[in-house]
Amino acid sequence: MRVTLLGTGDTTGTPTVGCDCGTCRRARDLDVERSRFSVHVENERTGESLLIDVSPDFREQFLTHDVPLPDEAVVTHVHFDHLDGLGNAYRVFDDLPVHAADEVDPVTGESVAATIDRKYDYLDRVTVTEQSPFEPFDCCGFETTLVPVDHPPLVCYGLAIEDPRTGAKLSITGDTSYGVPDDSRAVLADPDLLLADGIVPASLTAEHPLGGKHHDESGVPRTFGTKHMTREGALDLADDLGAAETRIVHTAHFYPPDEAFAEPLAVDGEVYEL
């Protein structure tokens, strides 16, 4: 399993357009980028590849990084920074199977799969397949399982990707607070590599209108507002899950410059062999 981090940033990415903050300047100085979230997983045994979330930066990501176009894709939720790159399928793919959850979201009145099918009904190259959470399905020779996480107000899913031959396992939290349900944690547990949402350091929760939640024993908030983990929350979840290696993704340019590129915060283009 060859994992390439195509996009490791939040909804605006780093550098953010029109921003001259210290972190965006530092990213330009280092010549690094955190584009909108997307992960490429290549099955080196079968020669197939899987794309997790279809970033609006799809075109640039695939022009920049040395990875093949995906044979299949999984979409975790319907926020634009995880979905709207799907329009790039036009005249690029003959057929792209897209897997997404079948649970109806009470907020939108439709499932993630149904939203994708409706929004991209003009793309005959895209075939949407509904998948039930906690029920493993085959993607590119991998056993893939979607699990509910906590990203209000919309439904959102993390996922575990396992190679049934080698036992290699990648877990992705999806966009989530620290309040990942126990049954979902059980599926995500013991990965060789965990990609964990950690949008900002816990110190910045004081600047959120809702503050933070899911405090640890020392009072450190593991959730920023309600939707995303803090860096500290992501690391605590990694410990909870027993991850062998962790990279923090979906990070914002609000990290202070002296913390923004420190370990274990990921940047685009990192590659892992599992």
Side-chain angles (χ1 to χ4, degrees):
M1 185 186 300
R2 187 173 192 261
V3 181
T4 303
L5 310 188
L6 298 180
T8 55
D10 71 339
T11 189
T12 67
T14 301
T16 292
V17 173
C19 183
D20 195 40
C21 74
T23 295
C24 289
R25 291 198 305 270
R26 181 71 175 143
R28 295 183 185 103
D29 290 342
L30 293 172
D31 194 25
V32 296
E33 185 174 5
R34 290 179 174 136
S35 60
R36 274 72 68 88
F37 184 80
S38 191
V39 179
H40 186 277
V41 188
E42 188 171 356
N43 188 332
E44 296 176 299
R45 180 169 44 78
T46 68
E48 300 170 287
S49 59
L50 172 63
L51 185 66
I52 310 303
D53 286 341
V54 191
S55 169
D57 299 311
F58 177 98
R59 179 179 179 275
E60 188 64 24
Q61 288 171 349
F62 278 87
L63 289 174
T64 301
H65 303 291
D66 185 23
V67 294
L69 285 170
D71 297 285
E72 301 183 62
V74 176
V75 173
T76 60
H77 65 297
V78 298
H79 280 154
F80 94 100
D81 53 324
H82 296 257
L83 171 62
D84 280 14
L86 196 54
N88 288 277
Y90 184 64
R91 287 197 281 182
V92 172
F93 298 95
D94 293 326
D95 179 54
L96 180 65
V98 176
H99 303 270
D102 61 1
E103 291 181 318
V104 174
D105 188 332
V107 173
T108 65
E110 59 187 8
S111 66
V112 175
T115 299
I116 298 168
D117 199 33
R118 172 181 55 79
K119 188 171 182 177
Y120 293 99
D121 62 349
Y122 66 93
L123 290 175
D124 57 7
R125 292 163 174 82
V126 170
T127 304
V128 181
T129 302
E130 295 184 339
Q131 303 293 348
S132 296
F134 299 111
E135 294 186 9
F137 58 95
D138 181 81
C139 266
C140 301
F142 297 126
E143 183 180 274
T144 305
T145 309
L146 288 164
V147 295
V149 291
D150 182 45
H151 189 55
L154 299 180
V155 295
C156 185
Y157 303 87
L159 66 161
I161 303 168
E162 299 183 67
D163 188 323
R165 292 277 188 91
T166 68
K169 182 175 181 179
L170 167 68
S171 290
I172 302 173
T173 67
D175 285 14
T176 186
S177 79
Y178 181 74
V180 178
D182 288 344
D183 50 358
S184 297
R185 289 176 179 236
V187 174
L188 299 173
D190 301 317
D192 298 294
L193 176 64
L194 173 69
L195 303 180
D197 170 12
I199 195 164
V200 295
S203 59
L204 294 189
T205 56
E207 301 181 22
H208 194 289
L210 299 177
K213 57 189 292 191
H214 300 123
H215 297 77
D216 67 12
E217 296 81 359
S218 301
V220 176
R222 294 182 282 203
T223 295
F224 177 69
T226 62
K227 295 184 178 185
H228 296 276
M229 287 187 285
T230 61
R231 171 186 57 200
E232 290 79 357
L235 292 174
D236 280 355
L237 182 66
D239 287 342
D240 297 345
L241 297 180
E245 184 169 7
T246 301
R247 302 303 289 165
I248 295 179
V249 296
H250 207 276
T251 53
H253 70 130
F254 300 119
Y255 271 89
D258 60 341
E259 300 178 35
F261 304 100
E263 292 294 318
L265 274 62
V267 296
D268 291 6
E270 295 180 8
V271 179
Y272 297 90
E273 300 278 352
L274 307 184

